[in-house]
Amino acid sequence: MLFRSEPLLFVVSPNHQLARRATLDVKDLSAHPFVTGLKSSRYFRMIDNILKKMGLADYAVAMEAQDFASVRELARHGAGIACMLAFSVAEELKAGTLVALKLRTPAPMMQVRCAYTTPMPRAVQDFVNAVG
């Protein structure tokens, strides 16, 4: 089931060198390390494929983390560039603790999906209704 489409953002600490740039080309990112999910994860492979399609095949990884919250916090503390779905960093962007980089060629929209069995349990239906 498709919940919604979300923009993929490249986010950094407000103190990061790229945070002050008005616009960036994808190639500008290659000189700066990324913070990512674990290289063995599906999330890493998905982001890696997107970066390659955007023309960024060669990039350094400063740190890998187990979960999205850790990747977000690593970026917030200046460890590198993180690729995050917009809804997962909305509070940090609003508070100014993260900055979304403005790329001339934006990253693709990501589809947020959920798989479930039928009949759908009531709690799952309530969740789907709340976020959908």
Side-chain angles (χ1 to χ4, degrees), residues 39-94:
K39 285 189 178 179
S40 60
S41 70
R42 289 179 190 239
Y43 181 72
F44 176 85
R45 289 190 302 272
M46 177 184 67
I47 297 300
D48 185 58
N49 285 332
I50 289 169
L51 291 174
K52 286 177 181 172
K53 287 178 183 175
M54 291 179 70
L56 189 61
D58 187 30
Y59 59 94
V61 175
M63 297 183 82
E64 299 173 35
Q66 178 73 29
D67 55 68
F68 300 120
S70 297
V71 171
R72 181 181 59 227
E73 286 303 299
L74 287 167
R76 192 172 70 81
H77 288 283
I81 302 168
C83 299
M84 305 291 294
L85 294 174
F87 75 84
S88 69
V89 291
E91 289 180 24
E92 291 78 8
L93 294 172
K94 185 176 180 179

Side-chain angles (χ1 to χ4, degrees), residues 3-125:
F3 279 136
R4 63 178 162 213
S5 292
E6 278 286 318
L8 181 69
L9 301 177
F10 292 84
V11 297
V12 295
S13 160
N15 298 320
H16 192 281
Q17 181 182 1
L18 296 178
R20 296 178 284 284
R21 300 267 304 269
T23 56
L24 297 159
D25 289 314
V26 173
K27 65 181 179 181
D28 296 327
L29 304 179
S30 65
H32 301 272
F34 281 73
V35 291
T36 69
L38 298 175
K39 285 189 178 179
S40 60
S41 70
R42 289 179 190 239
Y43 181 72
F44 176 85
R45 289 190 302 272
M46 177 184 67
I47 297 300
D48 185 58
N49 285 332
I50 289 169
L51 291 174
K52 286 177 181 172
K53 287 178 183 175
M54 291 179 70
L56 189 61
D58 187 30
Y59 59 94
V61 175
M63 297 183 82
E64 299 173 35
Q66 178 73 29
D67 55 68
F68 300 120
S70 297
V71 171
R72 181 181 59 227
E73 286 303 299
L74 287 167
R76 192 172 70 81
H77 288 283
I81 302 168
C83 299
M84 305 291 294
L85 294 174
F87 75 84
S88 69
V89 291
E91 289 180 24
E92 291 78 8
L93 294 172
K94 185 176 180 179
T97 58
L98 282 174
V99 174
L101 300 177
K102 294 164 191 71
L103 298 177
R104 286 186 180 91
T105 305
M109 296 290 286
M110 304 299 296
Q111 292 183 343
V112 180
R113 295 182 172 267
C114 177
Y116 59 90
T117 58
T118 55
M120 190 183 299
R122 176 76 179 159
V124 174
Q125 183 62 54

